[in-house]
Amino acid sequence: MSIKTQPELETFYCKRKGSFSNGDRMPSFVMQQFSNWLNGYAKAFNKRYRRMGGLFMDYIKERL
């Protein structure tokens, strides 16, 4: 797995979503790919270690 160049990303995007006419859509497409990857990682980690919730936050304790 390697970091893709912008032309490679545009080619990948066109295969999945159709035409790529506006450069403003590229950042949101890339961010969506990172979001999908991080969500998948969190789900796999939580499943493996039988946990729930976010990975990068401390647990909140209730004060009485």
Side-chain angles (χ1 to χ4, degrees), residues 1-63:
M1 186 171 179
S2 65
I3 297 174
K4 296 187 181 342
T5 63
Q6 185 167 346
E8 290 173 323
L9 286 172
E10 290 173 0
T11 301
F12 179 74
Y13 180 85
C14 290
K15 287 179 183 176
R16 295 193 54 184
K17 301 284 183 177
S19 66
F20 185 84
S21 59
N22 185 355
D24 295 340
R25 291 170 33 195
M26 178 59 87
S28 63
F29 172 71
V30 172
M31 291 305 296
Q32 183 62 49
Q33 297 303 309
F34 273 110
S35 176
N36 292 345
W37 179 70
L38 289 172
N39 285 333
Y41 176 79
K43 286 180 181 183
F45 187 92
N46 284 341
K47 184 176 181 178
R48 179 175 183 165
Y49 294 105
R50 296 185 184 136
R51 347 177 22 239
M52 294 176 64
L55 296 181
F56 306 107
M57 294 177 61
D58 291 336
Y59 286 100
I60 298 172
K61 295 181 182 179
E62 184 178 342
R63 272 184 144 166

